[in-house]
Amino acid sequence: MCKAKQEEGLGIRNMHSMNKAYVMKLGWGIIHDNNNLWADVLRSKYVKTQDRIPQVQAKGKDSPLWKTICKVWPQVIEGLGWSVGNGVEVRFWKDNWLEGIGPLVQHALQDIPVENLNVSVANMESNIQWRWDFFAHLLPIQIIMVMASYPPSSTYHRGRFKLLV
């Protein structure tokens, strides 16, 4: 039944997959849609932090919608990345801003000092050049090579989330 019409099916989409996609879109909206009433209601009721990408958790009496969003939240986060812009709002170590690499903290060769975990991408550059002395010794050469081909932005627009999928 769920096969395409060309494959002698009825062309009905798999409802489980479609529902998951729609719920993931709602999760994206909680992070990205700042002007939608439904997102404001869910954030104010269930999200207790001001983090850009909050940790979510479902409790026993929460709505079925919220419980479902919490269930797909890891995949929502996995598909998020940053369009860096001027780098002021994007955390160098914790945010997913290098496409295909993920948060740099996951690749660090040694522990990052706690006071440096939340530094911005903008703090790691000067005059549109990377400040290699601050981080090159903490990352594998493969990532350093990727960064060398990705110079810091000279644009002044704010960073924003993007979907990587």
Side-chain angles (χ1 to χ4, degrees):
M1 234 192 329
C2 291
K3 288 183 181 179
K5 289 181 181 179
Q6 297 87 346
E7 297 173 9
E8 298 180 7
L10 296 177
I12 298 172
R13 294 182 178 176
N14 181 302
M15 290 308 196
H16 178 72
S17 297
M18 292 303 298
N19 187 55
K20 184 176 180 180
Y22 288 131
V23 172
M24 288 176 73
K25 185 176 179 180
L26 291 174
W28 162 253
I30 289 170
I31 295 169
H32 192 264
D33 291 338
N34 293 326
N35 298 323
N36 284 336
L37 179 61
W38 70 267
D40 287 341
V41 169
L42 286 174
R43 274 193 300 269
S44 66
K45 184 169 183 173
Y46 298 113
V47 179
K48 304 302 179 199
T49 67
Q50 296 298 318
D51 293 344
R52 288 173 265 172
I53 304 173
Q55 298 294 319
V56 301
Q57 184 177 2
K59 297 182 183 86
K61 293 188 178 185
D62 289 346
S63 73
L65 173 62
W66 183 252
K67 289 177 182 178
T68 306
I69 290 171
C70 290
K71 203 177 287 185
V72 299
W73 194 256
Q75 288 117 338
V76 172
I77 301 305
E78 189 177 301
L80 284 179
W82 274 93
S83 173
V84 175
N86 61 13
V88 172
E89 296 180 47
V90 183
R91 295 175 299 180
F92 183 83
W93 294 107
K94 288 185 173 181
D95 290 333
N96 186 7
W97 60 275
L98 277 176
E99 200 164 327
I101 300 212
L104 293 178
V105 71
Q106 295 175 351
H107 302 282
L109 299 173
Q110 61 191 47
D111 289 340
I112 309 300
V114 175
E115 63 273 9
N116 293 338
L117 278 175
N118 290 314
V119 298
S120 69
V121 172
N123 290 121
M124 294 298 196
E125 64 96 10
S126 178
N127 298 322
I128 314 174
Q129 297 291 319
W130 289 116
R131 297 169 77 181
W132 297 108
D133 52 318
F134 285 105
F135 61 84
H137 62 287
L138 298 170
L139 292 169
I141 189 67
Q142 297 88 342
I143 293 175
I144 297 299
M145 291 174 67
V146 170
M147 290 182 69
S149 66
Y150 186 86
S153 177
S154 61
T155 62
Y156 293 100
H157 65 83
R158 294 179 59 183
R160 62 187 181 279
F161 287 112
K162 64 180 179 178
L163 288 174
L164 299 177
V165 289

